[in-house]
Amino acid sequence: MVSFLRWDSWLPWSCIFFTRLYLLGYSVVFARRWPRGAVDRFKAASCCMSIVHGTSTSMAAAIYMLNLFYSDKQEMSWSPTPSSHNSSTMKFWLASRLGAANTRFEEAIMEYSTAYFLVDLVHYLLFVPNQPLFVLHQVFTSSYMLSCRFYTGHGAFSTIVLFVVGESTSFLQNVWTISLLTHSAKLFNLLNVPFLIIFSVFRGVLTPWATWQLCLYFLFSREASAVVPFPLALYWMWSVFMGISGSLYWVSTHWAKLMSKKKSEIMRASASKTQLQTNIPKKHA
């Protein structure tokens, strides 16, 4: 029997979990906000899934990564040279972990996360098919994790790294999205600038840095080809690169909207001030 149908696999149970979470958001949480069949109601239901998935995976991955780093350090399972700095020590440790066989925890979190992306992919295909950027993102991410989990048996630690840098903004992003969908102007204005800054830092700085570390191992080291075929490793890195490019394009459009709005406000304020000055009667000598 194939491994994803085993009784201890997280994939089928997680698909059921996220489907029920989606239905809960659609049928209960946002039932009174929009009528049945409204596209925004489907989008908000997707946000319910995303909040749970992003928050849980980023926290679990960060805790796992830190625990693994300090346990490896204590057990001396890796031995950097005495003169190495903290950055080179981290790179050495990452390389040693990226080539390791998948652990059961890494397999479980990949199955759990893959289930979310598959359910969300169905959501986009059925109810929001005019969002190709998000559809492609779910396809690339799902295929990355499925091949890592069920084909290579290695490389799962790369997904742990990407969960930490890629999903940490999920909670804030989904609350921001819901405020936009529900036209909650006060909440949206409160979150808009902080969210765009935080998202830009994570997707424009931290995620590219992490991706470069993955590229150094999977594309430029001989050890990687022994555990992950080079064409597949190239596809993995290309998928991550496309995801980063899509995220940067998406956030740049919202920065452009914000700048345009601020410019319009400044122009209106300037016009009002000029109008006020022209209406003030001049004193005669």
Side-chain angles (χ1 to χ4, degrees):
M1 186 179 293
V2 289
S3 55
F4 61 85
L5 293 180
R6 296 183 317 186
W7 68 270
D8 60 339
S9 173
W10 283 58
L11 185 57
W13 306 113
S14 297
C15 284
I16 295 172
F17 169 72
F18 283 114
T19 300
R20 296 185 68 174
L21 199 60
Y22 181 86
L23 294 175
L24 178 68
Y26 182 84
S27 303
V28 179
V29 179
F30 298 106
R32 296 183 180 181
R33 185 74 195 188
W34 295 281
R36 284 186 176 274
V39 174
D40 285 349
R41 186 169 167 181
F42 289 115
K43 291 180 179 180
S46 175
C47 288
C48 290
M49 286 196 305
S50 187
I51 286 175
V52 173
H53 167 260
T55 305
S56 57
T57 53
S58 60
M59 290 181 64
I63 294 171
Y64 174 77
M65 192 173 175
L66 288 172
N67 181 66
L68 206 59
F69 177 78
Y70 286 108
S71 63
D72 284 354
K73 188 175 182 180
Q74 290 175 356
E75 294 173 7
M76 297 299 292
S77 57
W78 47 272
S79 52
T81 59
S83 60
S84 61
H85 299 290
N86 290 335
S87 59
S88 59
T89 299
M90 177 60 75
K91 291 177 183 178
F92 182 91
W93 176 72
L94 278 175
S96 68
R97 275 295 167 186
L98 288 172
N102 300 344
T103 67
R104 187 63 193 110
F105 175 82
E106 292 167 353
E107 291 178 345
I109 198 171
M110 279 196 299
E111 291 171 12
Y112 171 80
S113 190
T114 299
Y116 159 74
F117 284 109
L118 291 176
V119 174
D120 206 42
L121 176 61
V122 173
H123 150 76
Y124 278 107
L125 292 175
L126 291 180
F127 306 118
V128 200
N130 61 338
Q131 296 286 343
L133 208 61
F134 289 95
V135 171
L136 290 174
H137 179 269
Q138 312 307 59
V139 170
F140 289 145
T141 307
S142 300
S143 57
Y144 183 159
M145 290 189 290
L146 284 170
S147 59
C148 180
R149 168 65 182 91
F150 298 110
Y151 178 67
T152 64
H154 291 75
F157 192 73
S158 64
T159 66
I160 298 295
V161 175
L162 293 172
F163 285 146
V164 174
V165 295
E167 294 294 338
S168 295
T169 58
S170 179
F171 180 84
L172 186 59
Q173 179 178 357
N174 283 285
V175 175
W176 175 88
T177 302
I178 291 173
S179 71
L180 184 62
L181 292 172
T182 57
H183 304 288
S184 303
K186 188 175 181 179
L187 180 60
F188 178 79
N189 292 332
L190 178 67
L191 294 177
N192 194 30
V193 175
F195 162 67
L196 293 178
I197 293 173
I198 294 171
F199 189 90
S200 299
V201 170
F202 269 86
R203 299 302 172 93
V205 180
L206 298 180
T207 305
W209 177 85
T211 303
W212 175 243
Q213 303 306 316
L214 300 184
C215 286
L216 288 177
Y217 177 77
F218 285 115
L219 302 183
F220 302 110
S221 70
R222 294 180 180 179
E223 295 83 0
S225 59
V227 293
V228 179
F230 181 78
L232 182 59
L234 188 63
Y235 172 75
W236 285 0
M237 297 302 99
W238 180 76
S239 297
V240 178
F241 173 77
M242 292 301 293
I244 294 173
S245 300
S247 295
L248 292 178
Y249 171 78
W250 179 83
V251 76
S252 67
T253 60
H254 287 285
W255 273 118
K257 290 178 182 178
L258 178 63
M259 295 298 105
S260 177
K261 180 182 177 182
K262 293 296 183 183
K263 184 179 179 180
S264 298
E265 290 175 353
I266 292 172
M267 290 178 66
R268 283 198 301 268
S270 178
S272 299
K273 185 177 180 181
T274 303
Q275 183 67 28
L276 183 63
Q277 289 175 345
T278 56
N279 291 335
I280 296 175
K282 296 182 179 179
K283 292 183 179 180
H284 297 282

mmCIF file of all heavy atoms in Angstrom, residues 31 144 211 235:
data_model
loop_
_atom_site.group_PDB
_atom_site.id
_atom_site.type_symbol
_atom_site.label_atom_id
_atom_site.label_comp_id
_atom_site.label_asym_id
_atom_site.label_seq_id
_atom_site.Cartn_x
_atom_site.Cartn_y
_atom_site.Cartn_z
ATOM 1 N N ALA A 31 -21.186 33.326 7.569
ATOM 2 C CA ALA A 31 -22.501 33.043 6.979
ATOM 3 C C ALA A 31 -23.376 34.285 6.893
ATOM 4 O O ALA A 31 -24.142 34.453 5.935
ATOM 5 C CB ALA A 31 -23.208 31.955 7.789
ATOM 6 N N TYR A 144 6.464 20.340 -4.807
ATOM 7 C CA TYR A 144 7.743 20.347 -4.074
ATOM 8 C C TYR A 144 7.664 19.375 -2.892
ATOM 9 O O TYR A 144 8.487 18.455 -2.757
ATOM 10 C CB TYR A 144 8.028 21.774 -3.605
ATOM 11 C CG TYR A 144 9.343 22.019 -2.891
ATOM 12 C CD1 TYR A 144 9.880 23.302 -2.820
ATOM 13 C CD2 TYR A 144 10.051 21.003 -2.264
ATOM 14 C CE1 TYR A 144 11.079 23.562 -2.175
ATOM 15 C CE2 TYR A 144 11.250 21.247 -1.616
ATOM 16 C CZ TYR A 144 11.751 22.532 -1.563
ATOM 17 O OH TYR A 144 12.940 22.775 -0.921
ATOM 18 N N THR A 211 16.663 30.991 0.586
ATOM 19 C CA THR A 211 16.649 30.282 -0.703
ATOM 20 C C THR A 211 18.058 30.153 -1.269
ATOM 21 O O THR A 211 18.420 29.116 -1.836
ATOM 22 C CB THR A 211 15.746 31.013 -1.702
ATOM 23 O OG1 THR A 211 14.431 31.123 -1.151
ATOM 24 C CG2 THR A 211 15.675 30.273 -3.023
ATOM 25 N N TYR A 235 14.164 22.003 -10.108
ATOM 26 C CA TYR A 235 12.732 22.325 -10.096
ATOM 27 C C TYR A 235 12.320 22.878 -8.740
ATOM 28 O O TYR A 235 11.540 23.844 -8.673
ATOM 29 C CB TYR A 235 11.909 21.083 -10.431
ATOM 30 C CG TYR A 235 10.423 21.296 -10.238
ATOM 31 C CD1 TYR A 235 9.685 22.045 -11.156
ATOM 32 C CD2 TYR A 235 9.764 20.768 -9.127
ATOM 33 C CE1 TYR A 235 8.328 22.258 -10.980
ATOM 34 C CE2 TYR A 235 8.409 20.977 -8.951
ATOM 35 C CZ TYR A 235 7.690 21.717 -9.869
ATOM 36 O OH TYR A 235 6.352 21.934 -9.680
#
